[in-house]
Amino acid sequence: MIVNTELQQKGNQFPNRVVDFKKEVDTLYFTTQNEIILELTVLRDSVIRFRYATGGVFERDFSYAIDENASRGYNHLELKDDKEYYHVHTSKLHIRIEKESLQTAIYDTDGNLINEDEIGFHYEESFHYGGNIVKMSKKAQHAESYYGLGDKPMHSNLRGKRVQNWATDQYAFAKDQDPIYKSVPFYIGLNNKKAYGIFFDNTFRTYFDFCQERMGVTSFWAQGGEMNYYFIYGPQMSDVVTSYTNLTGVPELPPMWALGYQQCKWSYFPESNVKEVAAKFRELKIPCDGIYLDIDYMEGFRCFTWNKEYFPDPKRMVKELADDGFKTIVIIDPGIKIDKDYWVYQEGVKNDYFCKRADGPNMKGKVWPGECNFPDYTNPKVRDWWAGLFKELISDVGVKGVWNDMNEPAVMEVPDKTFPPDVRHNYDGDPCSHRKAHNIYGTQMARATYEGVKKFAYPKRPFVITRSAYSGAQRYTSSWTGDNVASWEHLWIANIQVQRMCISGMSFTGTDIGGFAEQPTGELYARWIQLGVFHPFCRTHSSGHHGDQEPWAFDEGVTDIARKFINLRYRLLPYLYTMFYEYVEKGTPLLKPLVYFDQDDAQTHYRTDEFIFGHHILVCPILEPNAKGRRMYVPRGNWYNYWTKQMIAGGKEQWVDADIDEMPLFVKEGTILPKYPIQQYVGELTIEQVELEVYYGLGKNASKLYEDAQDGYDYTKDRYSYRTFKMVGREKDWIIQQHKRGDFMTSYDTFRIHLIGLPFDIKEIELDNEVVSFEDVHFDPVACALIINKDFTELHLTGA
Ligand code: GLC
């Protein structure tokens, strides 16, 4: 036991000797003589919740983050004790609790130490606010690395850093700036090839220190609430991330169009300007699915109104855009203008829906419309009301998606940029101050918006995007990384942020392509769009103050590059959609940082630039001007250069050519990449044939293809088609087997199979166990391609 007198002198209190013990099914209670209780719950064999009470009483057990559908259940739970310790065993873990101190240590079943308390739980009473500042300190191992924590714009490996979570409107944030918009108190530790995660589910301002204050110690604390964290064991990082995502929830499948390219600016208006931009996409044959209306579409920035001078007939405009394949998405902010003649304000006042100061008046603050009041989205009644407000926009006008901004919540012209701490919130029936509700305000707004859009968009799927978020927000909404800057450094940040969000449970994220503040050069825009098409959410947005930022706003060369890469995204839509399905089904992140992909390779632990898109494509953006290529780390395994189709061996750093119209892209051997034809928007074409780009690989490999109606909910009733391709490659033959699930009928009948890297000349082709002639399968020896029925079960190619 560590007795820390210095900390004690600073007013910290620590648990002492355990004097009482109780077990209730899956939950164990250890009570110390000084009335601290550790409540330990076994949620799953690898997911353990630790919760501490002081003074012998727990708070109401309530969380906005935990998904009610989270898996529960374990195979084994056994308790033992000896003189010094209690020992809890599950089928994956051994948790040891010291009787003298309540300090815990967690081991795997082979006895390897995974994580252990340093001082462990301690706290300080907060006289000023009431409640406790709750703290936890853990030992950091010698070579331990740390990842996660949402949108932090800093190196992906957090060792040596201290960060805090306090949602902040941080216009033109800088590298290493902290905190910014989101608050995701979840990190992954990796040591000795074993990964675990810690989710500190506390909405107060939280801090995480990864060996910055003290070498050898990692700690986290909050300015109120309970010490309440979930320990999630791997040992694979993928197990940690998918378990965390299971705990905090997954989204539903978005409509496929939401994975298309989207165009935004502050602001496109009037109507003629919106139409002009839309028409230009079609004229230049640059695919685009979404067009955004920023705050100027409203009447004096009043939410749920239209500026009739700029947009005389929104319904007609939205329909005309829709006829041309554009989905209209509109911004809705939380600030409701104080205006006695404005119906939303009137309803809010009449029903007492706005947040109040401690002494009674409504919380008042300046945002775009001037003085505003702010709905208390932590009140279920307010959320219902808010959801109902979308009826006209969605049902009548035909808007397809809603963009929630300024929901940190942001307040202008005040030093703290947000509500004062005394503001009251309902917090779903457990009233509290803004200190506790601040970090989840944005998520509850997005949740209410999602419920509204979903209700009125039904039977189509909703689309919502938010700027602020807390853990669990992914159940309701996509997100973007806020007001970045048009600089090369920000391109580096953008790449890290989206990867980090992906391993923090929130895969459906993108950045303002080209940068929001300031103006990119054509070259920077080209490099950004190259990266952006590999982000789950893909949208150009800019403040519009310095010039245009559409794909054609630079020179023709840049337009061609933008078209080339957006085309590639549209060709890969079935691959991307399959990735998304797996995220929805299993919590698998869409992008995988290299350390996630191969944690056993220590080379990956500090890599930031390269990532895996889905399971099979290695992407590495060019992050510098005037580049003709770059050095990059290619992870272990064999990879095909996507452009040249040449195979290289990974496991080392190497130079890769990539002139301005290319970006390093590699496909893993043994991959089937499904491709749709290029469409100007999702659903433009009836897909008549799907191309399978098949990259030969020795040994066994697998790939998947998920398809459905691309919108609506039929897929929940088995109307989907989920194909698994299993491949076995040998020197002189190659077998591809297909298994299919679901009963959705795709519009096409055939696959065009394009064989890449085949190490032999084909002598014989067997299809479903029968030899077929080359003509039967339209074999094209130059392209090395053949056409077969989509429902084949086995294709066997034999070489001479
Ligand atoms: C905020 C948003 C930005 C938006 C602007 C005007 O700065 O982050 O995306 O364009 O407000 O609504």
Side-chain angles (χ1 to χ4, degrees), residues 266 294-295 331 368 403 405-406 467 480 483 512 516 541:
W266 178 16
D294 204 329
I295 49 176
I331 196 166
W368 306 120
W403 171 22
D405 186 25
M406 307 295 272
R467 192 169 71 175
W480 92 106
D483 297 342
D512 284 353
F516 178 76
H541 181 38

Side-chain angles (χ1 to χ4, degrees), residues 422-484:
D422 67 273
V423 168
R424 305 296 297 162
H425 293 271
N426 175 281
Y427 215 88
D428 278 68
D430 204 1
C432 69
S433 80
H434 194 63
R435 296 172 68 247
K436 182 173 176 179
H438 176 84
N439 281 336
I440 43 84
Y441 186 85
T443 299
Q444 295 314 302
M445 178 194 190
R447 173 186 180 182
T449 301
Y450 161 80
E451 268 148 21
V453 179
K454 179 165 176 160
K455 182 167 166 196
F456 301 114
Y458 193 83
K460 299 280 195 225
R461 304 175 197 164
F463 173 71
V464 176
I465 176 162
T466 184
R467 192 169 71 175
S468 187
Y470 182 76
S471 297
Q474 69 270 11
R475 301 202 293 273
Y476 317 115
T477 178
S478 64
S479 75
W480 92 106
T481 56
D483 297 342
N484 58 3

Side-chain angles (χ1 to χ4, degrees), residues 68-138:
E68 58 183 24
N69 301 316
S71 318
R72 276 189 90 143
Y74 48 85
N75 295 312
H76 182 71
L77 173 56
E78 191 189 323
L79 185 81
K80 292 185 192 146
D81 78 325
D82 55 32
K83 197 157 160 283
E84 280 177 78
Y85 303 106
Y86 290 100
H87 300 272
V88 181
H89 293 268
T90 73
S91 70
K92 298 254 174 75
L93 296 171
H94 164 203
I95 303 131
R96 198 189 74 181
I97 298 128
E98 194 183 32
K99 292 184 172 174
E100 261 316 300
S101 66
L102 211 57
Q103 286 167 359
T104 66
I106 303 175
Y107 302 84
D108 69 10
T109 47
D110 296 329
N112 297 303
L113 177 70
I114 305 300
N115 186 260
E116 109 186 87
D117 283 357
E118 186 239 5
I119 296 169
F121 174 62
H122 52 297
Y123 70 100
E124 226 180 289
E125 280 179 28
S126 165
F127 170 73
H128 193 67
Y129 293 110
N132 297 325
I133 297 168
V134 290
K135 309 175 187 184
M136 172 60 64
S137 63
K138 304 250 172 206

Side-chain angles (χ1 to χ4, degrees), residues 18 165 277 326 403 465 484 511 539 641 700 745 798:
V18 177
N165 294 308
V277 172
F326 287 93
W403 171 22
I465 176 162
N484 58 3
T511 67
R539 178 185 78 163
N641 182 311
K700 288 185 181 169
M745 296 292 283
T798 319

Side-chain angles (χ1 to χ4, degrees), residues 5-64:
T5 42
E6 200 191 317
L7 281 172
Q8 232 154 10
Q9 278 158 9
K10 284 185 181 157
N12 284 286
Q13 306 192 43
F14 307 82
N16 58 13
R17 186 174 175 73
V18 177
V19 291
D20 190 32
F21 165 77
K22 193 171 74 177
K23 176 173 184 286
E24 279 172 12
V25 198
D26 56 1
T27 304
L28 313 170
Y29 296 89
F30 304 89
T31 305
T32 64
Q33 193 209 349
N34 60 349
E35 293 200 303
I36 292 173
I37 309 173
L38 162 60
E39 177 195 278
L40 185 156
T41 306
V42 177
L43 281 93
R44 294 164 68 180
D45 290 297
S46 57
V47 181
I48 315 289
R49 181 179 182 198
F50 293 84
R51 204 178 161 213
Y52 295 82
T54 63
V57 211
F58 284 98
E59 294 183 1
R60 176 175 73 134
D61 192 12
F62 173 79
S63 166
Y64 281 115

Side-chain angles (χ1 to χ4, degrees), residues 372-426:
C372 286
N373 287 157
F374 301 84
D376 181 12
Y377 302 104
T378 71
N379 181 339
K381 279 198 198 124
V382 176
R383 288 198 298 271
D384 275 356
W385 166 67
W386 185 259
L389 296 175
F390 289 94
K391 183 167 195 300
E392 189 184 315
L393 272 176
I394 309 293
S395 300
D396 304 348
V397 182
V399 162
K400 289 287 181 292
V402 174
W403 171 22
N404 282 168
D405 186 25
M406 307 295 272
N407 52 355
E408 290 68 31
V411 177
M412 292 168 173
E413 298 169 21
V414 294
D416 289 346
K417 301 175 169 203
T418 193
F419 296 0
D422 67 273
V423 168
R424 305 296 297 162
H425 293 271
N426 175 281

